[in-house]
């Protein structure tokens, strides 16, 4: 037996994009159903880093999300670019009068679910989307199954794919026309360790031995990364070897070491879907695009998509005005490609490319000096890192 559910908007994916969209629609009085293959506990406990632009925090608060970013997150008003063994601070507050918040993604998800679920919003966990039917019709349908194989059909006026980089919704929209992408010839080896912070702000380090990022998680837990081969085995290194590698990547800074309790390898890929909207089906977040983490744009870009699409759906479903929905793709792509460029620029400026020559290395150092020696260069980095103004329809 197939259970049929009817709603105005079907949202596939209970990540930050899908849940915030549900909250925006709920406050506008628009019914929606959110489905996700994971349990609520899995969603809330999957630890991922998070750097939130001020505009993202403001968007969450304006949407009525009970976020604790200001209480639990750490505000940073700058970052350090380190090269030639010397640190160069990019002062966000002084340059653009903005900052960012270190607030892990799983806490954002906890905030969103703690807002939606007590309000009685229809969020269905353990329900895996299999396909989308009638993509070009006026009632597109999401076909999903639970762990026992029972099928649910969700018939909606709008279907939104917020289901990540392997999106079922995108596949239904575009088929083999997936999108434009760039593969990078390196990855990040990430660790979580028990230690106090090694620096008051994040350090992005370009060294002769390769890139490293010294980040933070709390007063007692720190997150650090170093450039590595994409195929490296996370268990190949001892803790002593990991600390030696990290220390050589940040010359001039003595890292505070501690027990390493988590390690993983983060692959690098840039991607933009060829189609962000087809008829009454649209994409947001990682279903629409992915960026390297160097520019801290991933979750912020997803929130920017949602603000645009949320306003477009309000106009379409409440006022029968299709113009914002028709303009969604173009408006979203304007920011997406700016973010892709910034993420690529930060990545290429800070990482060592395979087979790079001595000329390439010296040119890269010249580029870093061009940024740090110039107020205009520092301002561009600060403006892009802290985020361009968020836009919405209506």
């Amino acid at each position: 037996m197939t259970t049929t559910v009817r709603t105005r908007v079907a949202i596939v994916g209970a990540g930050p994009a899908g849940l915030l969209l549900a909250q925006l629609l709920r406050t506008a009085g628009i019914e929606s159903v959110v489905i996700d293959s994971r349990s609520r506990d899995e969603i809330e406990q999957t630890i991922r880093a998070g750097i939130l632009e001020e505009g993202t925090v403001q968007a969450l608060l304006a949407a009525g999300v009970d976020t604790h970013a200001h209480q639990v997150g750490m505000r940073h008003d700058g970052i350090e670019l380190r090269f030639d063994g010397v640190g160069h601070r990019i002062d966000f507050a002084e340059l653009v009068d903005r900052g960012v918040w270190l607030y892990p993604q799983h806490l954002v998800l906890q905030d969103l679910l703690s807002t939606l679920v007590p309000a009685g919003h229809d969020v269905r966990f353990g329900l895996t989307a299999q396909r989308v039917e009638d993509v070009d019709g006026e009632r597109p349908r999401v076909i999903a199954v639970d762990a026992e194989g029972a099928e649910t059909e969700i018939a909606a006026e709008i279907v939104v794919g917020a289901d990540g980089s392997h999106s079922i919704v995108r596949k239904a929209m575009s088929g083999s026309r997936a999108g434009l992408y760039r593969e990078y010839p390196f990855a990040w080896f990430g660790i979580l360790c028990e230690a106090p912070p090694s620096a008051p702000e994040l350090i992005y380090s370009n060294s002769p031995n390769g890139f490293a990022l010294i980040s933070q998680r709390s007063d007692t837990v720190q997150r650090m990364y170093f450039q590595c081969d994409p195929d490296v085995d996370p268990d190949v290194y001892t803790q002593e070897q990991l600390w030696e590698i990290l220390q050589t990547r940040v010359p001039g800074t003595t890292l505070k070491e501690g027990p390493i309790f988590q390690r993983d390898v983060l692959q690098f890929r840039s991607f933009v879907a060829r189609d962000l909207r087809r008829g009454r089906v649209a994409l947001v977040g990682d279903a629409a695009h992915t960026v390297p983490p160097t520019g801290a744009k991933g979750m912020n870009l997803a929130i920017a998509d949602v603000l645009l699409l949320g306003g477009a759906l309000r106009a379409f479903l409440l006022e029968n005005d299709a113009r914002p929905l028709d303009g969604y793709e173009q408006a979203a792509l304007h920011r997406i490609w700016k973010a892709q460029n910034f993420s690529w620029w930060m990545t290429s400026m800070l990482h060592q490319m395979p087979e790079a020559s001595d000329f390439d290395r010296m040119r890269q150092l010249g580029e870093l000096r061009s940024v740090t020696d110039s107020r205009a260069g520092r301002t561009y980095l600060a403006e892009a890192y802290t985020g361009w103004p968020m836009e919405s329809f209506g």
Side-chain angles (χ1 to χ4, degrees), residues 8 21 24-25 27-30 306-321 324 392-394:
R8 303 209 73 184
L21 180 60
L24 291 174
L25 296 175
T27 57
I30 299 171
V306 168
L307 294 181
L308 284 170
L309 186 60
L313 293 182
R314 286 195 303 272
F316 182 69
L317 296 172
L318 298 180
E319 302 167 19
N320 199 31
D321 181 358
S392 65
F393 294 111

Side-chain angles (χ1 to χ4, degrees), residues 22-57:
Q23 172 64 7
L24 291 174
L25 296 175
R26 186 182 74 84
T27 57
I30 299 171
E31 180 187 42
S32 71
V33 174
V34 183
I35 67 169
D36 199 289
S37 60
R38 300 165 293 174
S39 68
R40 178 174 178 176
D41 185 64
E42 287 174 323
I43 292 170
E44 293 187 330
Q45 299 306 319
T46 300
I47 308 300
R48 290 187 181 179
I51 295 178
L52 306 186
E53 300 168 3
E54 281 195 19
T56 295
V57 176

Side-chain angles (χ1 to χ4, degrees), residues 90-138:
I90 308 298
D91 190 334
F92 299 157
E94 190 268 334
L95 292 165
V96 295
D97 195 27
R98 293 198 298 272
V100 296
W101 294 89
L102 269 68
Y103 192 64
Q105 180 173 307
H106 69 284
L107 297 183
V108 175
L109 291 168
Q110 290 175 19
D111 292 342
L112 285 161
L113 287 169
S114 295
T115 301
L116 284 164
V117 174
H121 196 85
D122 195 344
V123 182
R124 304 191 179 201
F125 305 103
L127 201 57
T128 303
Q130 298 289 297
R131 62 191 185 276
V132 181
E133 297 184 347
D134 294 336
V135 171
D136 294 315
E138 293 190 356

Side-chain angles (χ1 to χ4, degrees), residues 245-376:
I245 292 170
L246 281 162
Q247 188 62 72
T248 63
R249 302 288 181 93
V250 198
T253 293
T254 300
L255 301 177
K256 295 181 180 178
E257 301 180 8
I260 296 170
F261 63 88
Q262 181 177 310
R263 54 177 77 189
D264 50 29
V265 175
L266 182 61
Q267 302 297 326
F268 268 47
R269 189 170 188 254
S270 295
F271 171 81
V272 179
R274 289 189 183 275
D275 306 298
L276 270 60
R277 180 230 169 182
R278 175 176 164 183
R280 294 184 175 221
V281 182
L283 302 177
V284 292
D286 284 357
H289 46 72
T290 56
V291 291
T294 325
K297 286 281 152 271
M299 182 163 42
N300 297 292
L301 203 52
I303 299 305
D305 293 345
V306 168
L307 294 181
L308 284 170
L309 186 60
L313 293 182
R314 286 195 303 272
F316 182 69
L317 296 172
L318 298 180
E319 302 167 19
N320 199 31
D321 181 358
R323 289 173 299 175
L325 187 58
D326 291 339
Y328 164 67
E329 181 173 296
Q330 183 177 358
L333 285 173
H334 182 79
R335 189 187 192 94
I336 289 166
W337 281 112
K338 286 173 65 175
Q340 288 287 3
N341 176 67
F342 176 68
S343 300
W344 172 86
W345 175 67
M346 285 281 285
T347 300
S348 63
M349 183 171 62
L350 291 164
H351 292 74
Q352 281 197 18
M353 299 295 177
E355 310 303 325
S357 66
D358 289 342
F359 176 91
D360 297 327
R361 173 65 183 159
M362 297 309 296
R363 185 215 59 78
Q364 191 179 56
L365 291 175
E367 183 176 15
L368 284 160
R369 293 189 187 101
S370 295
V371 173
T372 58
D373 291 353
S374 162
R375 182 178 179 88

